[in-house]
Amino acid sequence: MSIWESLAVFAAGVGAGTINTIVGSGTLITFPVLLATGLPPVTANVSNTLGLVPGSISGAIGYRKELKGQRARIMRLGAVSLVGGLGGAILLLTLPSDSFNTIVPVLIGLALVLVVLQPRLAAALRARQEAAGGDTGHPDGGPALLTGMLISSAYGGYFGAAQGVLYLGLMGLLLHEDLQRINAVKNVVAALVNGIAAVFFLFVADFDWTAVVLIAVGSTLGGQIGAKVGRRLPPTVLRAVIVAVGLIAIVQLLLR
């Protein structure tokens, strides 16, 4: 890797760490850059996954204030997401990519719809639950959220672009919680999924360690930047950013 390619990968890592902490989809920054350096797609994917783990941890630490009081929720959602992430990592090395990639834009599009309509849908859902008996629903989203997180995490372990958008859409709809606190949980779950996938890849895949180190350092810096920027965004602006990033993700994935 030349010095200019190394600088490009590092810069992509910073950008990915920043956008992952705020929304997600950082892989859409780093993955094309790694391919441009000449890495094979699978090697680029697994190197990117491992490199982004420190950035996810950095973003979660940056949101530590919003994580207070959510330990039980994180434990529950995290356990399910670990299973999904490992399953997705296995799928990457055992299944052809065409069939899985076909549904990815659909999943992201659905997540964007959930993000946009989340305030109205969540209010309508709570109103119906209260009318039925005063119950405002399961504090952790119940089976619906656990199932959605399992599937989203499987996708995250497989590729991960717009993984955060899926998490935000699901949790925003099914949890009666502030969007910034949901974003904090998203960062922890993303770190767990990337971490379990990376551990699996360590035993069965080939890495480009130069790329891993450059992305790791860059994404760690970006995670701190993203935490400072993301927590200052009002819910409406944050939703707008989520939608913009998600639409870009769909376009890029369709053009791959």
Side-chain angles (χ1 to χ4, degrees):
M1 193 178 294
S2 70
I3 182 63
W4 296 111
E5 289 174 334
S6 298
L7 288 174
V9 172
F10 174 76
V14 175
T18 301
I19 197 66
N20 273 344
T21 302
I22 299 174
V23 183
S25 299
T27 291
L28 293 176
I29 299 174
T30 49
F31 187 68
V33 173
L34 292 177
L35 292 180
T37 67
L39 291 181
V42 173
T43 302
N45 195 8
V46 298
S47 300
N48 177 68
T49 298
L50 181 57
L52 288 178
V53 172
S56 298
I57 296 173
S58 176
I61 293 173
Y63 265 89
R64 58 190 178 276
K65 292 182 180 179
E66 288 78 7
L67 290 172
K68 291 182 179 179
Q70 300 199 80
R71 179 176 298 178
R73 173 179 293 159
I74 291 171
M75 294 291 288
R76 182 169 298 158
L77 296 180
V80 171
S81 298
L82 282 172
V83 174
L86 179 59
I90 295 172
L91 285 176
L92 175 64
L93 301 181
T94 57
L95 294 180
S97 60
D98 291 343
S99 58
F100 197 86
N101 288 340
T102 299
I103 200 172
V104 168
V106 178
L107 290 175
I108 299 174
L110 177 59
L112 294 182
V113 172
L114 292 178
V115 169
V116 173
L117 299 181
Q118 181 268 328
R120 293 184 180 181
L121 291 175
L125 180 62
R126 287 194 297 270
R128 192 168 80 175
Q129 290 171 337
E130 291 171 356
D135 183 9
T136 57
H138 196 287
D140 285 316
L145 181 57
L146 292 177
T147 301
M149 294 296 285
L150 178 67
I151 296 172
S152 299
S153 297
Y155 166 62
Y158 184 90
F159 182 54
Q163 163 189 5
V165 176
L166 294 173
Y167 290 151
L168 290 170
L170 285 166
M171 289 190 285
L173 175 63
L174 297 171
L175 294 177
H176 187 196
E177 188 62 87
D178 177 76
L179 190 57
Q180 293 290 358
R181 281 171 60 80
I182 288 174
N183 199 28
V185 175
K186 178 265 293 179
N187 287 328
V188 175
V189 172
L192 291 173
V193 170
N194 285 342
I196 191 65
V199 169
F200 173 75
F201 292 146
L202 281 172
F203 293 97
V204 297
D206 295 323
F207 291 86
D208 185 299
W209 289 103
T210 300
V212 170
V213 172
L214 290 170
I215 292 176
V217 175
S219 66
T220 300
L221 175 61
Q224 292 300 302
I225 296 172
K228 291 181 180 180
V229 174
R231 64 155 45 94
R232 295 176 182 174
L233 296 177
T236 301
V237 176
L238 183 55
R239 285 191 179 89
V241 173
I242 294 169
V243 171
V245 172
L247 289 175
I248 293 172
I250 291 174
V251 171
Q252 289 200 22
L253 288 167
L254 289 176
L255 294 178
R256 283 182 64 205

